[in-house]
Amino acid sequence: MPIQKEESLVRSTALENPAAGVDLSRRGLLAAGAATLGAAYACVANAAGKPFFQRHGLPLGIQLYTLGPDLQKELDAQLATVAKTGFKSVELAGYLGRTPAELRAAFDRAGLVCPSAHISPKSANGSSFSGDLAKLADELHVIGVKAAIMPILYIPDRFSGADLRQAGAQMTADDWKWNADFLNAKAAVLKKAGIVTGYHNHNFEFAPLKDTQGGDTNGMEILLKGTDPSLVTFEMDAGWVTAAGQDPFAMLKKHPGRFTQMHVKDIKATTKPNFVLQQDPTEVGGGMINWPKLLPAAYAAGVRGFFVEQEPPFAHSRLESAKISFDYLASVAA
């Protein structure tokens, strides 16, 4: 019945029998309200039942480090497999022996986007945070990268020749403060070029330290406190946070808005808490991290970029492991 005719019928009934008219209108309103509430609850229930990434309209990405050294020589074939698996985005770890234009063309052929890249803090012969930042920004724009992530600390010169495990374990509070200042300075330049700067953790950042007042702290806390939130963001590696014996939920809650990307990395319960780059890796969903709870917690804290990453050794081929992780995450209703 057209709306105008329905309204006319209600009005005429009310004129003939005022009490009936009031009663009819009330019943109509109650019925309409119940229908609206029912529809709203149905929408909420349907949304809650959808997988996390589908519900939020987020692409699930992969950090290309996961695929190992073969990726460089089989770039097109492996990217095609990544896309067929269902991944929509990738995160670079180096340029894979290609130019920025060649990388962009390869991603375009595979139907993938590359919004994030790990950029070395210093490099003798490649683009880095210590090099020409204008050139770096131009290269990242060609690829389509919007976030340049420093994947490790800037190792002080006094550790020349030491490996990352040794250097990370021997960092002082002043060393971490220097890194925070370094990130602020580089981020200020890159922001003007339209590139966001971030830092990706391992587990040595959580080694206990004393601050200048003798209080308890660690490298990660120093970086979070010492960097400008308007300049520097963070990419939480959930696997390494957990391997350090830390709670990723508590960290997200304590620092809302500071983490905008996450490495979706799982570890086995056999991993003993440590600060020296040790973990027992596994595919996402096969380890000790509660992803149905962590994914929505990360989203609520501001994380929008999610990249699967797995450390060696692998129980399957790297691409097979990537598919296992993707299939699990694509089905998680969180």
Side-chain angles (χ1 to χ4, degrees), residues 8-289:
S8 177
L9 176 60
V10 171
R11 283 197 298 270
S12 64
T13 305
L15 287 171
E16 294 171 6
N17 185 346
V22 172
D23 187 53
L24 179 60
S25 297
R26 185 183 295 119
R27 285 201 304 270
L29 288 171
L30 287 173
T36 302
L37 272 175
Y41 282 126
C43 287
V44 171
N46 288 337
K50 287 184 178 180
F52 172 82
F53 289 97
Q54 180 184 346
R55 180 159 58 92
H56 290 294
L58 292 172
L60 179 53
I62 184 170
Q63 162 55 250
L64 292 177
Y65 163 83
T66 303
L67 303 184
D70 289 343
L71 176 65
Q72 183 167 336
K73 57 186 177 182
E74 302 171 0
L75 183 61
D76 280 336
Q78 293 213 12
L79 289 180
T81 301
V82 164
K84 184 179 179 181
T85 296
F87 289 104
K88 302 297 183 185
S89 66
V90 299
E91 182 180 50
L92 275 171
Y95 285 178
L96 303 171
R98 268 69 170 184
T99 66
E102 288 171 338
L103 285 171
R104 178 58 181 267
F107 296 144
D108 286 347
R109 284 193 295 271
L112 296 165
V113 295
C114 180
S116 183
H118 279 194
I119 303 297
S120 175
K122 55 183 175 179
S123 175
N125 53 11
S127 297
S128 73
F129 279 103
S130 298
D132 185 338
L133 294 183
K135 179 175 179 290
L136 173 62
D138 287 343
E139 293 173 352
L140 296 181
H141 284 310
V142 169
I143 300 169
V145 170
K146 295 177 174 61
I149 308 297
M150 197 164 93
I152 55 171
L153 72 159
Y154 187 108
I155 300 175
D157 293 339
R158 71 177 186 277
F159 292 128
S160 178
D163 66 24
L164 184 59
R165 183 180 293 107
Q166 293 171 321
Q170 297 177 50
M171 291 282 284
T172 67
D174 284 340
D175 292 330
W176 287 114
K177 289 176 182 176
W178 188 95
N179 268 266
D181 292 340
F182 178 82
L183 282 164
N184 283 331
K186 303 306 177 181
V189 176
L190 288 172
K191 184 177 181 178
K192 293 177 181 177
I195 300 293
V196 174
T197 296
Y199 182 84
H200 163 275
N201 68 275
H202 287 78
N203 65 347
F204 45 69
E205 288 89 351
F206 299 97
L209 295 169
K210 293 292 182 182
D211 60 25
T212 54
Q213 286 76 42
D216 294 328
T217 188
N218 59 51
M220 195 67 180
E221 286 296 320
I222 292 171
L223 290 177
L224 283 160
K225 291 177 181 177
T227 51
D228 183 342
S230 70
L231 295 174
V232 180
T233 187
F234 286 82
E235 179 176 64
M236 176 185 284
D237 189 308
W240 281 123
V241 170
T242 307
Q246 300 293 308
D247 182 355
F249 293 92
M251 186 170 299
L252 289 165
K253 186 175 181 179
K254 185 177 180 180
H255 302 283
R258 294 309 308 275
F259 294 93
T260 57
Q261 297 190 170
M262 175 175 280
H263 275 185
V264 184
K265 177 185 293 179
D266 218 339
I267 60 174
K268 296 177 183 177
T270 52
T271 302
K272 295 180 180 178
N274 70 95
F275 310 112
V276 289
L277 296 178
Q278 293 177 358
Q279 63 171 253
D280 296 333
T282 188
E283 290 77 21
V284 180
M288 63 188 293
I289 297 178

